[in-house]
Amino acid sequence: MFATTGFARRTAAAAVLAVAAFAAVPACADDGFPFGFEMTLDAAPQGGSKRIPTLEIGDNGEAKLDLWCKAGKGQFSVAGNTVIFVPGPLQDRDCPPARAQADDDLVAALSEAETWKRRGDLVSFIGPKALRFRINTN
């Protein structure tokens, strides 16, 4: 039989810890939740405007929304692939009714999202209505 020395046990333990630490790191760092990034909704502009909604998520989940017409803040909470968005008050900028409704619908869809996924620069919020945003890389 082989006797296990203290050195061999420490080496084996270090190897196990190294493998465990490597396994805990995501295979691709850009697959994590986009904290600290600004994203643009993957949608066409509303008629008569070039504006497309953007969402900026801070490192602690604080969110800044700049929508088709309105603007506001909110908070994201994330655990694994589960997401919760709590909107704050929106500033009404004397919007035409159609744009105001589109903004309200977008905030409602974000609030109803239950999960999220990311593939490269595309981030999807999935609930009754799926929303897809593209991370601004410029």
Side-chain angles (χ1 to χ4, degrees):
M1 291 268 144
F2 296 100
T4 306
T5 66
F7 175 75
R9 279 190 296 243
R10 286 190 301 273
T11 303
V16 168
L17 287 174
V19 168
F22 181 73
V25 175
C28 186
D30 69 352
D31 285 339
F33 192 79
F35 291 114
F37 287 98
E38 182 179 11
M39 303 178 285
T40 301
L41 182 66
D42 191 18
Q46 296 270 326
S49 173
K50 293 181 182 181
R51 182 183 299 269
I52 299 175
T54 59
L55 172 62
E56 184 176 348
I57 303 173
D59 293 335
N60 296 315
E62 65 280 5
K64 182 177 148 189
L65 300 111
D66 192 9
L67 306 174
W68 280 291
C69 192
K70 298 179 181 184
K73 295 184 178 187
Q75 180 71 40
F76 278 93
S77 295
V78 179
N81 73 335
T82 302
V83 65
I84 297 172
F85 174 69
V86 178
L90 293 177
Q91 298 172 351
D92 194 350
R93 299 177 179 163
D94 197 26
C95 303
R99 286 195 195 138
Q101 186 61 53
D103 287 349
D104 293 341
D105 292 346
L106 177 57
V107 171
L110 273 173
S111 299
E112 294 171 350
E114 299 169 350
T115 60
W116 69 276
K117 70 179 176 181
R118 179 175 175 182
R119 294 194 184 196
D121 288 342
L122 294 176
V123 178
S124 298
F125 295 98
I126 303 147
K129 180 179 180 181
L131 298 170
R132 190 166 76 171
F133 287 82
R134 184 172 302 278
I135 294 175
N136 299 349
T137 55
N138 51 2

